[in-house]
Amino acid sequence: MIKSAVTISIVEEAKKGPFVFHADVAAGCEKAAALGFDAVELFAPSADAINAQPLGELLEKHSLNLAAVGTGAGMVIHGLHLCDADAGRRTQACDFIRGIIDAGAPFKAPAIIGSMQGRWDATTDKDTALGYLRDSLNDLGEHAAGHGVPLIYEPLNRYETNLATTMAEGVELLAPLSTSNVVLLADLFHMNIEEANIADGLRDGGKHIGHVHFVDSNRQAAGRGHMDYGPIAAALQEIGYDGYACAEAFPIPDSDETARQTIETFKAFFRS
Ligand code: LER
Ligand code: MN
């Protein structure tokens, strides 16, 4: 059964980012639980910031799971990414992600590689960049496997990466990996920009899809844009998806309404 989740960001530099709750993990958990979400997804500035949270107590108190942990702060705060031409910087990027994998592991929460994948450019051609990315996915995927959690790779729209922008390209990226522990994140906002048809894109990802960012066409709460959720829900059922549909959306008009609208739309399509 598909489960609901909502994002909480405690990254100061991302306070204008597409996250439902900001700044306060305890308050976010309380509101998520009150609305009946199954889980929260955490976007933190570092592994230490996750370890510093009384997360176990909060999750237990509110009967919530930790759906996933984001790694994007490595890029947002430090400019680190996995395709950097500089080997030392690539190592730092991997170390940053490894720390987040370790911090999420006690909660069985996989790490998400989104913006930290980077892009190819004048300093690193496409094949070299894809090679760097695959090397890191192999290493980090096996590291996550050691904790019994998958590693999540997120295709992004063309304005954020030029490596894999569709589910089909995501599947192509994973195919030669030596690890089988990397899954795809289907973010409906990115898919709305890149896929010819979102439901078909989900079918392209098929069994590889391990996480969903559940959001509308305008990156607001599901239900506030023009996304057609009927075919999307049908495609997710068809591929047997049973992970999280996690709201990664701008808090417009505010966090509470974004969470409320999300769970209303979630229930209409996944609990009816
Ligand atoms: C970035 O646009 C995104 O969708 C995040 O989930 C990845 O960091
Ligand atoms: Mn996303």
Side-chain angles (χ1 to χ4, degrees), residues 5-49:
V6 61
T7 44
I8 305 174
S9 168
I10 51 168
V11 178
E12 173 71 22
E13 291 82 348
K15 64 181 175 212
K16 292 205 161 33
F19 305 102
V20 177
F21 294 114
H22 287 258
D24 187 338
V25 178
C29 285
E30 190 171 339
K31 289 182 172 183
L35 285 165
F37 280 93
D38 297 306
V40 295
E41 178 183 309
L42 184 60
F43 189 69
S46 64
D48 287 347

mmCIF file of all heavy atoms in Angstrom, residues 5-49:
data_model
loop_
_atom_site.group_PDB
_atom_site.id
_atom_site.type_symbol
_atom_site.label_atom_id
_atom_site.label_comp_id
_atom_site.label_asym_id
_atom_site.label_seq_id
_atom_site.Cartn_x
_atom_site.Cartn_y
_atom_site.Cartn_z
ATOM 1 N N ALA A 5 3.791 10.836 3.076
ATOM 2 C CA ALA A 5 4.872 11.492 3.827
ATOM 3 C C ALA A 5 4.909 12.968 3.454
ATOM 4 O O ALA A 5 4.357 13.382 2.430
ATOM 5 C CB ALA A 5 6.213 10.832 3.515
ATOM 6 N N VAL A 6 5.589 13.721 4.311
ATOM 7 C CA VAL A 6 5.664 15.165 4.103
ATOM 8 C C VAL A 6 7.068 15.642 4.477
ATOM 9 O O VAL A 6 7.681 15.096 5.396
ATOM 10 C CB VAL A 6 4.541 15.868 4.924
ATOM 11 C CG1 VAL A 6 4.693 15.623 6.421
ATOM 12 C CG2 VAL A 6 4.450 17.344 4.632
ATOM 13 N N THR A 7 7.572 16.629 3.757
ATOM 14 C CA THR A 7 8.949 17.076 3.972
ATOM 15 C C THR A 7 9.064 18.098 5.107
ATOM 16 O O THR A 7 8.202 18.959 5.296
ATOM 17 C CB THR A 7 9.523 17.739 2.692
ATOM 18 O OG1 THR A 7 8.528 18.606 2.140
ATOM 19 C CG2 THR A 7 9.926 16.706 1.672
ATOM 20 N N ILE A 8 10.202 17.993 5.813
ATOM 21 C CA ILE A 8 10.601 19.001 6.811
ATOM 22 C C ILE A 8 12.039 19.387 6.480
ATOM 23 O O ILE A 8 12.911 18.514 6.392
ATOM 24 C CB ILE A 8 10.571 18.436 8.246
ATOM 25 C CG1 ILE A 8 9.205 17.836 8.604
ATOM 26 C CG2 ILE A 8 10.966 19.535 9.256
ATOM 27 C CD1 ILE A 8 9.178 17.134 9.968
ATOM 28 N N SER A 9 12.287 20.676 6.265
ATOM 29 C CA SER A 9 13.655 21.145 6.015
ATOM 30 C C SER A 9 14.160 21.927 7.216
ATOM 31 O O SER A 9 13.447 22.778 7.748
ATOM 32 C CB SER A 9 13.687 22.051 4.778
ATOM 33 O OG SER A 9 14.942 22.719 4.715
ATOM 34 N N ILE A 10 15.395 21.615 7.618
ATOM 35 C CA ILE A 10 16.037 22.425 8.668
ATOM 36 C C ILE A 10 17.317 23.052 8.097
ATOM 37 O O ILE A 10 18.269 23.300 8.823
ATOM 38 C CB ILE A 10 16.321 21.604 9.952
ATOM 39 C CG1 ILE A 10 17.057 20.297 9.649
ATOM 40 C CG2 ILE A 10 15.029 21.333 10.701
ATOM 41 C CD1 ILE A 10 17.611 19.601 10.897
ATOM 42 N N VAL A 11 17.296 23.278 6.787
ATOM 43 C CA VAL A 11 18.436 23.911 6.123
ATOM 44 C C VAL A 11 18.124 25.398 5.954
ATOM 45 O O VAL A 11 17.252 25.780 5.168
ATOM 46 C CB VAL A 11 18.709 23.259 4.749
ATOM 47 C CG1 VAL A 11 19.862 23.956 4.036
ATOM 48 C CG2 VAL A 11 18.998 21.764 4.913
ATOM 49 N N GLU A 12 18.846 26.192 6.702
ATOM 50 C CA GLU A 12 18.647 27.655 6.690
ATOM 51 C C GLU A 12 18.745 28.201 5.255
ATOM 52 O O GLU A 12 17.922 29.015 4.820
ATOM 53 C CB GLU A 12 19.736 28.268 7.595
ATOM 54 C CG GLU A 12 19.837 29.765 7.626
ATOM 55 C CD GLU A 12 18.657 30.424 8.349
ATOM 56 O OE1 GLU A 12 18.004 29.741 9.151
ATOM 57 O OE2 GLU A 12 18.414 31.620 8.059
ATOM 58 N N GLU A 13 19.746 27.698 4.496
ATOM 59 C CA GLU A 13 19.977 28.197 3.130
ATOM 60 C C GLU A 13 18.865 27.784 2.165
ATOM 61 O O GLU A 13 18.829 28.233 1.022
ATOM 62 C CB GLU A 13 21.321 27.650 2.599
ATOM 63 C CG GLU A 13 22.559 28.211 3.299
ATOM 64 C CD GLU A 13 22.891 27.503 4.621
ATOM 65 O OE1 GLU A 13 22.063 26.724 5.129
ATOM 66 O OE2 GLU A 13 23.986 27.757 5.138
ATOM 67 N N ALA A 14 17.972 26.871 2.605
ATOM 68 C CA ALA A 14 16.903 26.396 1.713
ATOM 69 C C ALA A 14 15.543 26.826 2.228
ATOM 70 O O ALA A 14 14.530 26.185 1.937
ATOM 71 C CB ALA A 14 16.976 24.870 1.589
ATOM 72 N N LYS A 15 15.511 27.936 2.968
ATOM 73 C CA LYS A 15 14.213 28.285 3.563
ATOM 74 C C LYS A 15 13.207 28.761 2.528
ATOM 75 O O LYS A 15 12.020 28.838 2.802
ATOM 76 C CB LYS A 15 14.360 29.248 4.734
ATOM 77 C CG LYS A 15 14.914 30.578 4.432
ATOM 78 C CD LYS A 15 14.993 31.378 5.742
ATOM 79 C CE LYS A 15 15.675 32.690 5.454
ATOM 80 N NZ LYS A 15 16.440 33.182 6.568
ATOM 81 N N LYS A 16 13.678 29.031 1.305
ATOM 82 C CA LYS A 16 12.732 29.360 0.227
ATOM 83 C C LYS A 16 12.514 28.134 -0.673
ATOM 84 O O LYS A 16 11.908 28.229 -1.746
ATOM 85 C CB LYS A 16 13.265 30.532 -0.598
ATOM 86 C CG LYS A 16 13.305 31.847 0.155
ATOM 87 C CD LYS A 16 13.239 33.019 -0.806
ATOM 88 C CE LYS A 16 12.829 34.344 -0.243
ATOM 89 N NZ LYS A 16 13.175 34.691 1.092
ATOM 90 N N GLY A 17 13.003 26.988 -0.247
ATOM 91 C CA GLY A 17 12.930 25.775 -1.066
ATOM 92 C C GLY A 17 11.574 25.080 -1.008
ATOM 93 O O GLY A 17 10.704 25.451 -0.209
ATOM 94 N N PRO A 18 11.387 24.046 -1.844
ATOM 95 C CA PRO A 18 10.093 23.356 -1.962
ATOM 96 C C PRO A 18 9.866 22.321 -0.856
ATOM 97 O O PRO A 18 9.748 21.120 -1.126
ATOM 98 C CB PRO A 18 10.187 22.695 -3.338
ATOM 99 C CG PRO A 18 11.640 22.382 -3.474
ATOM 100 C CD PRO A 18 12.390 23.483 -2.770
ATOM 101 N N PHE A 19 9.839 22.809 0.372
ATOM 102 C CA PHE A 19 9.616 21.901 1.498
ATOM 103 C C PHE A 19 8.391 22.391 2.280
ATOM 104 O O PHE A 19 8.199 23.598 2.428
ATOM 105 C CB PHE A 19 10.859 21.849 2.391
ATOM 106 C CG PHE A 19 12.092 21.485 1.611
ATOM 107 C CD1 PHE A 19 13.007 22.457 1.238
ATOM 108 C CD2 PHE A 19 12.293 20.180 1.188
ATOM 109 C CE1 PHE A 19 14.121 22.134 0.465
ATOM 110 C CE2 PHE A 19 13.411 19.847 0.421
ATOM 111 C CZ PHE A 19 14.324 20.827 0.055
ATOM 112 N N VAL A 20 7.613 21.451 2.765
ATOM 113 C CA VAL A 20 6.324 21.817 3.369
ATOM 114 C C VAL A 20 6.544 22.492 4.724
ATOM 115 O O VAL A 20 6.046 23.585 4.971
ATOM 116 C CB VAL A 20 5.411 20.580 3.495
ATOM 117 C CG1 VAL A 20 4.105 20.943 4.197
ATOM 118 C CG2 VAL A 20 5.130 20.000 2.106
ATOM 119 N N PHE A 21 7.292 21.814 5.596
ATOM 120 C CA PHE A 21 7.582 22.404 6.913
ATOM 121 C C PHE A 21 9.037 22.836 6.963
ATOM 122 O O PHE A 21 9.911 22.196 6.355
ATOM 123 C CB PHE A 21 7.294 21.390 8.033
ATOM 124 C CG PHE A 21 5.830 21.030 8.144
ATOM 125 C CD1 PHE A 21 5.387 19.749 7.855
ATOM 126 C CD2 PHE A 21 4.887 21.984 8.527
ATOM 127 C CE1 PHE A 21 4.034 19.415 7.954
ATOM 128 C CE2 PHE A 21 3.537 21.671 8.616
ATOM 129 C CZ PHE A 21 3.111 20.381 8.338
ATOM 130 N N HIS A 22 9.279 23.897 7.679
ATOM 131 C CA HIS A 22 10.638 24.447 7.762
ATOM 132 C C HIS A 22 11.045 24.686 9.213
ATOM 133 O O HIS A 22 10.208 25.040 10.054
ATOM 134 C CB HIS A 22 10.711 25.777 7.006
ATOM 135 C CG HIS A 22 10.666 25.628 5.515
ATOM 136 N ND1 HIS A 22 11.781 25.707 4.710
ATOM 137 C CD2 HIS A 22 9.626 25.373 4.672
ATOM 138 C CE1 HIS A 22 11.437 25.541 3.442
ATOM 139 N NE2 HIS A 22 10.133 25.333 3.390
ATOM 140 N N ALA A 23 12.327 24.477 9.472
ATOM 141 C CA ALA A 23 13.009 24.948 10.688
ATOM 142 C C ALA A 23 12.813 24.112 11.956
ATOM 143 O O ALA A 23 13.742 23.991 12.738
ATOM 144 C CB ALA A 23 12.660 26.409 10.985
ATOM 145 N N ASP A 24 11.641 23.520 12.137
ATOM 146 C CA ASP A 24 11.364 22.899 13.439
ATOM 147 C C ASP A 24 10.866 21.457 13.243
ATOM 148 O O ASP A 24 9.715 21.245 12.851
ATOM 149 C CB ASP A 24 10.300 23.767 14.138
ATOM 150 C CG ASP A 24 10.043 23.328 15.570
ATOM 151 O OD1 ASP A 24 10.336 22.160 15.905
ATOM 152 O OD2 ASP A 24 9.526 24.156 16.343
ATOM 153 N N VAL A 25 11.742 20.502 13.530
ATOM 154 C CA VAL A 25 11.393 19.091 13.290
ATOM 155 C C VAL A 25 10.264 18.645 14.213
ATOM 156 O O VAL A 25 9.331 17.943 13.786
ATOM 157 C CB VAL A 25 12.631 18.184 13.480
ATOM 158 C CG1 VAL A 25 12.262 16.714 13.291
ATOM 159 C CG2 VAL A 25 13.722 18.565 12.491
ATOM 160 N N ALA A 26 10.325 19.087 15.482
ATOM 161 C CA ALA A 26 9.291 18.661 16.442
ATOM 162 C C ALA A 26 7.916 19.167 16.008
ATOM 163 O O ALA A 26 6.933 18.408 15.994
ATOM 164 C CB ALA A 26 9.630 19.169 17.840
ATOM 165 N N ALA A 27 7.846 20.445 15.615
ATOM 166 C CA ALA A 27 6.557 21.013 15.192
ATOM 167 C C ALA A 27 6.070 20.339 13.907
ATOM 168 O O ALA A 27 4.875 20.045 13.764
ATOM 169 C CB ALA A 27 6.701 22.520 14.977
ATOM 170 N N GLY A 28 6.991 20.082 12.985
ATOM 171 C CA GLY A 28 6.619 19.418 11.730
ATOM 172 C C GLY A 28 6.074 18.024 11.974
ATOM 173 O O GLY A 28 5.060 17.621 11.387
ATOM 174 N N CYS A 29 6.715 17.290 12.866
ATOM 175 C CA CYS A 29 6.248 15.928 13.183
ATOM 176 C C CYS A 29 4.855 15.974 13.819
ATOM 177 O O CYS A 29 3.985 15.163 13.487
ATOM 178 C CB CYS A 29 7.223 15.226 14.138
ATOM 179 S SG CYS A 29 8.738 14.679 13.346
ATOM 180 N N GLU A 30 4.673 16.927 14.711
ATOM 181 C CA GLU A 30 3.381 17.029 15.391
ATOM 182 C C GLU A 30 2.260 17.303 14.386
ATOM 183 O O GLU A 30 1.198 16.668 14.415
ATOM 184 C CB GLU A 30 3.448 18.159 16.429
ATOM 185 C CG GLU A 30 2.250 18.170 17.336
ATOM 186 C CD GLU A 30 2.420 19.155 18.501
ATOM 187 O OE1 GLU A 30 3.561 19.524 18.833
ATOM 188 O OE2 GLU A 30 1.387 19.551 19.053
ATOM 189 N N LYS A 31 2.525 18.227 13.458
ATOM 190 C CA LYS A 31 1.498 18.565 12.463
ATOM 191 C C LYS A 31 1.278 17.417 11.482
ATOM 192 O O LYS A 31 0.137 17.122 11.105
ATOM 193 C CB LYS A 31 1.888 19.843 11.728
ATOM 194 C CG LYS A 31 1.756 21.040 12.644
ATOM 195 C CD LYS A 31 2.082 22.346 11.995
ATOM 196 C CE LYS A 31 1.708 23.472 12.963
ATOM 197 N NZ LYS A 31 1.913 24.790 12.446
ATOM 198 N N ALA A 32 2.349 16.757 11.076
ATOM 199 C CA ALA A 32 2.227 15.617 10.145
ATOM 200 C C ALA A 32 1.367 14.528 10.779
ATOM 201 O O ALA A 32 0.472 13.964 10.129
ATOM 202 C CB ALA A 32 3.615 15.073 9.800
ATOM 203 N N ALA A 33 1.630 14.252 12.048
ATOM 204 C CA ALA A 33 0.879 13.188 12.736
ATOM 205 C C ALA A 33 -0.588 13.580 12.892
ATOM 206 O O ALA A 33 -1.481 12.761 12.672
ATOM 207 C CB ALA A 33 1.508 12.922 14.102
ATOM 208 N N ALA A 34 -0.820 14.841 13.244
ATOM 209 C CA ALA A 34 -2.209 15.288 13.450
ATOM 210 C C ALA A 34 -3.028 15.140 12.169
ATOM 211 O O ALA A 34 -4.231 14.872 12.219
ATOM 212 C CB ALA A 34 -2.220 16.740 13.925
ATOM 213 N N LEU A 35 -2.378 15.297 11.018
ATOM 214 C CA LEU A 35 -3.092 15.176 9.737
ATOM 215 C C LEU A 35 -3.166 13.728 9.244
ATOM 216 O O LEU A 35 -3.794 13.442 8.229
ATOM 217 C CB LEU A 35 -2.417 16.050 8.674
ATOM 218 C CG LEU A 35 -2.674 17.554 8.809
ATOM 219 C CD1 LEU A 35 -1.689 18.343 7.955
ATOM 220 C CD2 LEU A 35 -4.112 17.884 8.414
ATOM 221 N N GLY A 36 -2.479 12.839 9.940
ATOM 222 C CA GLY A 36 -2.557 11.420 9.576
ATOM 223 C C GLY A 36 -1.513 10.943 8.589
ATOM 224 O O GLY A 36 -1.671 9.883 7.976
ATOM 225 N N PHE A 37 -0.419 11.729 8.405
ATOM 226 C CA PHE A 37 0.666 11.248 7.528
ATOM 227 C C PHE A 37 1.332 10.026 8.161
ATOM 228 O O PHE A 37 1.377 9.890 9.385
ATOM 229 C CB PHE A 37 1.715 12.350 7.325
ATOM 230 C CG PHE A 37 1.324 13.379 6.302
ATOM 231 C CD1 PHE A 37 0.683 14.543 6.687
ATOM 232 C CD2 PHE A 37 1.584 13.172 4.956
ATOM 233 C CE1 PHE A 37 0.312 15.501 5.746
ATOM 234 C CE2 PHE A 37 1.213 14.116 4.000
ATOM 235 C CZ PHE A 37 0.575 15.278 4.395
ATOM 236 N N ASP A 38 1.861 9.154 7.298
ATOM 237 C CA ASP A 38 2.568 7.965 7.781
ATOM 238 C C ASP A 38 4.014 8.275 8.155
ATOM 239 O O ASP A 38 4.610 7.559 8.957
ATOM 240 C CB ASP A 38 2.593 6.883 6.682
ATOM 241 C CG ASP A 38 1.198 6.413 6.324
ATOM 242 O OD1 ASP A 38 0.460 6.009 7.241
ATOM 243 O OD2 ASP A 38 0.837 6.454 5.128
ATOM 244 N N ALA A 39 4.579 9.324 7.530
ATOM 245 C CA ALA A 39 6.023 9.539 7.694
ATOM 246 C C ALA A 39 6.406 10.973 7.377
ATOM 247 O O ALA A 39 5.615 11.733 6.808
ATOM 248 C CB ALA A 39 6.778 8.603 6.749
ATOM 249 N N VAL A 40 7.637 11.320 7.740
ATOM 250 C CA VAL A 40 8.222 12.597 7.334
ATOM 251 C C VAL A 40 9.525 12.307 6.583
ATOM 252 O O VAL A 40 10.159 11.269 6.772
ATOM 253 C CB VAL A 40 8.507 13.528 8.544
ATOM 254 C CG1 VAL A 40 7.217 13.947 9.222
ATOM 255 C CG2 VAL A 40 9.454 12.875 9.550
ATOM 256 N N GLU A 41 9.879 13.244 5.725
ATOM 257 C CA GLU A 41 11.172 13.172 5.016
ATOM 258 C C GLU A 41 11.971 14.387 5.452
ATOM 259 O O GLU A 41 11.446 15.505 5.454
ATOM 260 C CB GLU A 41 10.915 13.193 3.502
ATOM 261 C CG GLU A 41 12.195 13.167 2.672
ATOM 262 C CD GLU A 41 11.886 13.260 1.178
ATOM 263 O OE1 GLU A 41 11.051 12.478 0.686
ATOM 264 O OE2 GLU A 41 12.465 14.137 0.514
ATOM 265 N N LEU A 42 13.222 14.166 5.829
ATOM 266 C CA LEU A 42 14.007 15.246 6.439
ATOM 267 C C LEU A 42 15.109 15.749 5.509
ATOM 268 O O LEU A 42 15.863 14.961 4.927
ATOM 269 C CB LEU A 42 14.619 14.726 7.751
ATOM 270 C CG LEU A 42 15.392 15.716 8.603
ATOM 271 C CD1 LEU A 42 14.516 16.892 9.042
ATOM 272 C CD2 LEU A 42 15.964 15.010 9.843
ATOM 273 N N PHE A 43 15.201 17.060 5.390
ATOM 274 C CA PHE A 43 16.253 17.726 4.615
ATOM 275 C C PHE A 43 17.086 18.503 5.622
ATOM 276 O O PHE A 43 16.607 19.472 6.216
ATOM 277 C CB PHE A 43 15.590 18.642 3.582
ATOM 278 C CG PHE A 43 16.532 19.236 2.573
ATOM 279 C CD1 PHE A 43 17.135 18.433 1.605
ATOM 280 C CD2 PHE A 43 16.796 20.595 2.560
ATOM 281 C CE1 PHE A 43 17.993 18.989 0.651
ATOM 282 C CE2 PHE A 43 17.651 21.158 1.609
ATOM 283 C CZ PHE A 43 18.240 20.345 0.656
ATOM 284 N N ALA A 44 18.307 18.037 5.860
ATOM 285 C CA ALA A 44 19.130 18.589 6.943
ATOM 286 C C ALA A 44 20.456 19.103 6.391
ATOM 287 O O ALA A 44 20.916 18.669 5.338
ATOM 288 C CB ALA A 44 19.390 17.503 7.987
ATOM 289 N N PRO A 45 21.100 20.038 7.119
ATOM 290 C CA PRO A 45 22.354 20.610 6.615
ATOM 291 C C PRO A 45 23.541 19.655 6.653
ATOM 292 O O PRO A 45 24.523 19.861 5.940
ATOM 293 C CB PRO A 45 22.597 21.812 7.532
ATOM 294 C CG PRO A 45 21.788 21.554 8.755
ATOM 295 C CD PRO A 45 20.627 20.710 8.329
ATOM 296 N N SER A 46 23.471 18.623 7.492
ATOM 297 C CA SER A 46 24.604 17.691 7.619
ATOM 298 C C SER A 46 24.133 16.448 8.361
ATOM 299 O O SER A 46 23.051 16.443 8.972
ATOM 300 C CB SER A 46 25.728 18.340 8.444
ATOM 301 O OG SER A 46 25.253 18.566 9.772
ATOM 302 N N ALA A 47 24.977 15.424 8.329
ATOM 303 C CA ALA A 47 24.678 14.216 9.099
ATOM 304 C C ALA A 47 24.609 14.542 10.586
ATOM 305 O O ALA A 47 23.735 14.043 11.306
ATOM 306 C CB ALA A 47 25.753 13.159 8.834
ATOM 307 N N ASP A 48 25.524 15.416 11.046
ATOM 308 C CA ASP A 48 25.529 15.765 12.471
ATOM 309 C C ASP A 48 24.225 16.421 12.898
ATOM 310 O O ASP A 48 23.745 16.210 14.012
ATOM 311 C CB ASP A 48 26.694 16.721 12.793
ATOM 312 C CG ASP A 48 28.021 15.990 12.766
ATOM 313 O OD1 ASP A 48 28.003 14.736 12.742
ATOM 314 O OD2 ASP A 48 29.070 16.664 12.748
ATOM 315 N N ALA A 49 23.668 17.231 12.004
ATOM 316 C CA ALA A 49 22.395 17.908 12.339
ATOM 317 C C ALA A 49 21.265 16.894 12.476
ATOM 318 O O ALA A 49 20.319 17.122 13.227
ATOM 319 C CB ALA A 49 22.059 18.944 11.279
#
